[in-house]
Amino acid sequence: MKSKTKIVVLHMKEIIYTAIFLSLGILLIFLLIFMFRPDSEKKTATTDHQYTPGIYTSTLTLNNTNLEVEVTVDESRIQSIRFANLDQSVATMFPLIQPAIEEIAEQIYDTQSLEDVTFSDETPYTSQVILDAISEAVSKAVAN
């Protein structure tokens, strides 16, 4: 019996290319599995609160001046929050009131909740009064 020795020549360049393509293929498979797997923890579009669509107001009193906080809601979301009758004299007397309501409104739009709203260090008390007025208006909007 004679044995013939076979010599296999592998080029290092081919081995490196094969390893790179193999690792990219595995990475692509993991990426596809991660992106398209069903996620049981996804938040649904509906919220815990169901609202009666409309515009709801509540009154806020500052220095004998009544301001109406207007909250617009649809069936499942708070759409807008604003002052209905903020005139120039009130805005001049309370220059931080408009930025305070805008900051609170942005947080509420993002979370669709009145919980965990943070106040700026400049206007904590005014922000709390505004948040109370907003929650009063939203409570009118909650469907039974």
Side-chain angles (χ1 to χ4, degrees), residues 44-113:
T44 58
T46 61
T47 60
D48 295 335
H49 301 292
Q50 295 296 323
Y51 303 113
T52 304
I55 299 172
Y56 298 91
T57 60
S58 65
T59 304
L60 169 70
T61 305
L62 292 174
N63 256 3
N64 298 326
T65 304
N66 290 331
L67 296 174
E68 287 187 3
V69 176
E70 185 177 276
V71 178
T72 306
V73 296
D74 64 7
E75 293 173 350
S76 62
R77 294 184 54 83
I78 298 172
Q79 296 294 324
S80 71
I81 300 169
R82 67 180 192 95
F83 286 119
N85 61 345
L86 183 65
D87 60 358
Q88 191 66 26
S89 63
V90 174
T92 304
M93 286 176 41
F94 304 101
L96 297 177
I97 197 163
Q98 187 64 33
I101 196 168
E102 290 172 359
E103 178 183 332
I104 292 170
E106 281 298 319
Q107 293 179 37
I108 293 173
Y109 297 153
D110 291 341
T111 62
Q112 288 298 310
S113 172

